[in-house]
Amino acid sequence: GWYGFNPGSTLQMHSVGAANTAALVAVNTTLAPCCAALVVFAARALVFEPRRLDVGAMCNGILAGLVSITGPCGFVRPFEAIIIGLLGGCVYQLASMAMQRARFDDVVDAFAVHGACGLWGLVAAGLFGDPKEGLGGNGFFYSGNQLQTQMFAALLIILWVGGLSIIAFFILRRVGLLRLGDDIQEAGADVAEHLPKRAYSFLEQNEVKPFHASELA
């Protein structure tokens, strides 16, 4: 999906230049999530307790890298996409830990992935991108002035989204719909609100039975 979204946002492939831009976007969209995933996977396995191989966190790291590179994907070179992805993995990990420490109920790390890394991607578009490359970048690291615009946009987004979210969450809390009850959460939303029999019946009907290697002969 992200390959359709990012390269597809070029909206054209009728010329060599447009095709090269779409190809660059595809490469950047590949490099950043790979790097972010490796950072998160290594951090969970080697640095932060309980030091386990956390595949779920690695998948969120992939998303974190994708979110981080989406904003600047058409304006930066591949080596810059690698840096953005590496830092995006760090941003995700730190935001995830901060949310847990603050005891926010965000079981899928939605804020860490989309909020924190989205903000990082917005800022990264103002930091990276050499105007001399002719890609449309105007980054701070190359004496450009795009960073001011990106920071102002980030402020407006925070105010707009934060303000509307506070209103929506306040209303939902007042009517008792902000979160599922503890009993439902313990049982699982699948059991309480969805159709687990239809969703998981395939596993019940097609139970995998253990077999011996000799049976393959």
Side-chain angles (χ1 to χ4, degrees), residues 3 6 23-36 62 65-66 69 81-82:
Y3 285 105
N6 280 2
L24 173 66
V25 171
V27 170
N28 290 340
T29 302
T30 301
L31 292 174
C34 289
C35 294
I62 294 173
L66 288 168
I69 196 59
I82 291 175

Short mmCIF file of all heavy atoms in Angstrom, two decimals, residues 3 6 23-36 62 65-66 69 81-82:
data_model
loop_
_atom_site.label_atom_id
_atom_site.label_comp_id
_atom_site.label_asym_id
_atom_site.label_seq_id
_atom_site.Cartn_x
_atom_site.Cartn_y
_atom_site.Cartn_z
N TYR A 3 3.75 1.67 -1.17
CA TYR A 3 4.39 1.87 -2.47
C TYR A 3 3.43 2.51 -3.46
O TYR A 3 3.83 3.29 -4.32
CB TYR A 3 4.91 0.54 -3.02
CG TYR A 3 6.15 0.06 -2.32
CD1 TYR A 3 6.10 -0.98 -1.40
CD2 TYR A 3 7.38 0.66 -2.57
CE1 TYR A 3 7.24 -1.42 -0.76
CE2 TYR A 3 8.53 0.23 -1.92
CZ TYR A 3 8.45 -0.81 -1.01
OH TYR A 3 9.58 -1.23 -0.37
N ASN A 6 3.17 6.42 -1.83
CA ASN A 6 4.30 7.34 -1.99
C ASN A 6 4.71 7.52 -3.46
O ASN A 6 4.67 8.63 -3.98
CB ASN A 6 5.48 6.88 -1.13
CG ASN A 6 5.32 7.29 0.32
OD1 ASN A 6 4.31 7.88 0.70
ND2 ASN A 6 6.30 6.97 1.14
N ALA A 23 10.88 6.38 -8.92
CA ALA A 23 11.83 5.35 -8.52
C ALA A 23 12.58 5.75 -7.25
O ALA A 23 12.79 4.93 -6.35
CB ALA A 23 12.81 5.08 -9.66
N LEU A 24 12.98 7.02 -7.18
CA LEU A 24 13.67 7.51 -5.99
C LEU A 24 12.77 7.39 -4.77
O LEU A 24 13.20 6.96 -3.69
CB LEU A 24 14.09 8.97 -6.19
CG LEU A 24 14.68 9.67 -4.96
CD1 LEU A 24 16.00 9.04 -4.57
CD2 LEU A 24 14.84 11.17 -5.23
N VAL A 25 11.50 7.76 -4.93
CA VAL A 25 10.55 7.66 -3.83
C VAL A 25 10.40 6.21 -3.38
O VAL A 25 10.34 5.92 -2.17
CB VAL A 25 9.18 8.25 -4.26
CG1 VAL A 25 8.13 7.95 -3.20
CG2 VAL A 25 9.30 9.75 -4.49
N ALA A 26 10.35 5.28 -4.34
CA ALA A 26 10.22 3.87 -4.00
C ALA A 26 11.44 3.37 -3.22
O ALA A 26 11.30 2.62 -2.24
CB ALA A 26 10.02 3.04 -5.27
N VAL A 27 12.62 3.80 -3.65
CA VAL A 27 13.85 3.40 -2.95
C VAL A 27 13.85 3.95 -1.53
O VAL A 27 14.14 3.23 -0.56
CB VAL A 27 15.09 3.89 -3.72
CG1 VAL A 27 16.36 3.70 -2.88
CG2 VAL A 27 15.23 3.14 -5.03
N ASN A 28 13.53 5.23 -1.38
CA ASN A 28 13.49 5.84 -0.05
C ASN A 28 12.43 5.18 0.83
O ASN A 28 12.63 5.01 2.05
CB ASN A 28 13.21 7.34 -0.16
CG ASN A 28 14.38 8.10 -0.75
OD1 ASN A 28 15.51 7.62 -0.75
ND2 ASN A 28 14.11 9.30 -1.27
N THR A 29 11.31 4.82 0.23
CA THR A 29 10.22 4.16 0.97
C THR A 29 10.63 2.76 1.39
O THR A 29 10.01 2.18 2.29
CB THR A 29 8.95 4.13 0.10
OG1 THR A 29 8.59 5.47 -0.28
CG2 THR A 29 7.78 3.51 0.83
N THR A 30 11.64 2.20 0.77
CA THR A 30 12.15 0.89 1.17
C THR A 30 13.22 1.01 2.26
O THR A 30 13.20 0.27 3.25
CB THR A 30 12.75 0.16 -0.04
OG1 THR A 30 11.75 0.01 -1.05
CG2 THR A 30 13.27 -1.21 0.36
N LEU A 31 14.13 1.95 2.08
CA LEU A 31 15.28 2.05 2.98
C LEU A 31 14.88 2.49 4.38
O LEU A 31 15.35 1.92 5.38
CB LEU A 31 16.30 3.04 2.40
CG LEU A 31 17.02 2.60 1.13
CD1 LEU A 31 17.88 3.73 0.59
CD2 LEU A 31 17.87 1.36 1.40
N ALA A 32 14.04 3.51 4.49
CA ALA A 32 13.71 4.07 5.80
C ALA A 32 13.04 3.04 6.73
O ALA A 32 13.46 2.90 7.89
CB ALA A 32 12.83 5.31 5.64
N PRO A 33 12.01 2.33 6.29
CA PRO A 33 11.40 1.35 7.20
C PRO A 33 12.33 0.19 7.55
O PRO A 33 12.25 -0.33 8.68
CB PRO A 33 10.18 0.86 6.43
CG PRO A 33 10.45 1.17 5.01
CD PRO A 33 11.27 2.43 5.02
N CYS A 34 13.19 -0.22 6.63
CA CYS A 34 14.15 -1.28 6.95
C CYS A 34 15.06 -0.84 8.09
O CYS A 34 15.29 -1.59 9.05
CB CYS A 34 14.99 -1.62 5.72
SG CYS A 34 14.09 -2.50 4.43
N CYS A 35 15.56 0.38 8.00
CA CYS A 35 16.47 0.88 9.03
C CYS A 35 15.75 1.08 10.36
O CYS A 35 16.28 0.74 11.43
CB CYS A 35 17.09 2.20 8.57
SG CYS A 35 18.17 2.03 7.15
N ALA A 36 14.54 1.63 10.31
CA ALA A 36 13.78 1.84 11.54
C ALA A 36 13.47 0.51 12.22
O ALA A 36 13.56 0.40 13.45
CB ALA A 36 12.49 2.60 11.23
N ILE A 62 8.76 -0.90 11.33
CA ILE A 62 8.59 -0.75 9.89
C ILE A 62 7.62 0.39 9.61
O ILE A 62 7.87 1.26 8.77
CB ILE A 62 8.08 -2.06 9.27
CG1 ILE A 62 9.15 -3.15 9.38
CG2 ILE A 62 7.69 -1.85 7.81
CD1 ILE A 62 8.67 -4.52 8.95
N GLY A 65 9.18 3.78 10.28
CA GLY A 65 10.03 4.24 9.20
C GLY A 65 9.25 4.73 8.01
O GLY A 65 9.60 5.73 7.38
N LEU A 66 8.15 4.04 7.70
CA LEU A 66 7.30 4.47 6.59
C LEU A 66 6.68 5.83 6.86
O LEU A 66 6.64 6.70 5.99
CB LEU A 66 6.21 3.42 6.35
CG LEU A 66 6.68 2.10 5.73
CD1 LEU A 66 5.58 1.05 5.81
CD2 LEU A 66 7.11 2.31 4.27
N ILE A 69 9.32 8.68 6.59
CA ILE A 69 9.85 9.04 5.27
C ILE A 69 8.77 9.57 4.33
O ILE A 69 9.09 10.14 3.28
CB ILE A 69 10.55 7.83 4.62
CG1 ILE A 69 11.45 8.27 3.45
CG2 ILE A 69 9.53 6.80 4.15
CD1 ILE A 69 12.54 9.24 3.83
N ALA A 81 17.47 9.17 3.47
CA ALA A 81 16.35 8.32 3.87
C ALA A 81 16.79 7.32 4.93
O ALA A 81 16.02 7.00 5.86
CB ALA A 81 15.78 7.58 2.66
N ILE A 82 18.01 6.82 4.81
CA ILE A 82 18.54 5.90 5.82
C ILE A 82 18.64 6.60 7.18
O ILE A 82 18.23 6.05 8.21
CB ILE A 82 19.92 5.37 5.38
CG1 ILE A 82 19.76 4.44 4.17
CG2 ILE A 82 20.61 4.64 6.52
CD1 ILE A 82 21.06 3.97 3.58
#
